[in-house]
Amino acid sequence: REKKLIECMSKKALLPFSVETLRVADVIIGAPPQEIFIERKSLPDLVNSIFDNRLYNQLGNKLYATDYERFRTVLIVEGGLSQLQLDCTPRRPYTLKRRLAQATMARLSIRDQIPVLRSSDINGTFELVRILAAEYPKLTAWRPLQYSVRQDKPFRPRRGEDPKEVLADQLRCVRGVLRSAARKLAGEHGHIS
């Protein structure tokens, strides 16, 4: 099924791989239970698989195989949007197909939290697979980082700034606080903590 990718991998010979018939995914990197499942789609195939629900069945099978750990399922979309112009019909015009492809990639990435990577051609896809294989130990060693944890740091004015003026400027950001009231409030406080 992935003859072009296999040919590309054979020619470059930078990556050890085996060719097997897979029940789920086009490429699997790693070993159970930490494998990464990669689905490769050209843009026209992506759009056609949306119309016939194949995409959602394939992604559902991958998620099931990874115990719904979404960061272990990757979709690589290959090619440019101009490829969608090739087989347009009145019922499926280019603008509809383009919008559908872009909206699906956005929904998968943001709502469904499934990584969607883009490549321009088969060589770009091979490069992404090679990078994922090289980064595999780092990708599976830890859980996803949580960037929402915030550490509050105490305020320190920049060199040369008057702390009371800075506080007055911050107070003016509050709706209804006038400049004169902000300066008066800032003047009443000896320090900022």
Side-chain angles (χ1 to χ4, degrees), residues 8-55:
C8 188
M9 292 173 80
S10 297
K11 287 178 188 174
K12 309 260 179 175
L14 301 170
L15 190 63
F17 69 95
S18 65
V19 178
E20 301 173 22
T21 302
L22 303 174
R23 293 184 65 202
V24 178
D26 295 324
V27 177
I28 297 177
I29 297 174
Q34 293 295 318
E35 63 268 68
I36 297 173
F37 293 89
I38 301 173
E39 183 68 30
R40 175 183 159 252
K41 295 242 177 255
S42 67
L43 264 168
D45 186 35
L46 175 71
V47 171
N48 291 333
S49 67
I50 295 165
F51 282 124
D52 64 16
N53 282 329
R54 207 169 11 108
L55 176 69

Side-chain angles (χ1 to χ4, degrees), residues 97-161:
K97 290 165 54 172
R98 179 185 174 110
R99 167 114 173 70
L100 183 63
Q102 292 175 323
T104 299
M105 289 185 285
R107 280 193 300 267
L108 288 172
S109 297
I110 297 168
R111 181 193 66 198
D112 301 336
Q113 298 176 345
I114 295 173
V116 178
L117 306 176
R118 294 284 310 271
S119 71
S120 58
D121 57 13
I122 191 72
N123 292 319
T125 298
F126 167 72
E127 188 63 26
L128 287 171
V129 169
R130 192 174 69 75
I131 289 168
L132 288 169
E135 293 289 317
Y136 175 77
K138 294 177 189 173
L139 294 171
T140 57
W142 300 288
R143 292 279 174 222
L145 295 176
Q146 298 299 321
Y147 295 104
S148 62
V149 178
R150 185 174 160 222
Q151 295 179 351
D152 288 326
K153 295 181 181 178
F155 173 76
R156 290 189 185 133
R158 293 184 193 124
R159 217 177 271 162
E161 283 185 323

Side-chain angles (χ1 to χ4, degrees), residues 33-38 65-67 69-74:
Q34 293 295 318
E35 63 268 68
I36 297 173
F37 293 89
I38 301 173
T66 62
D67 294 326
E69 291 180 337
R70 296 169 189 276
F71 59 91
R72 290 180 35 220
T73 299
V74 177

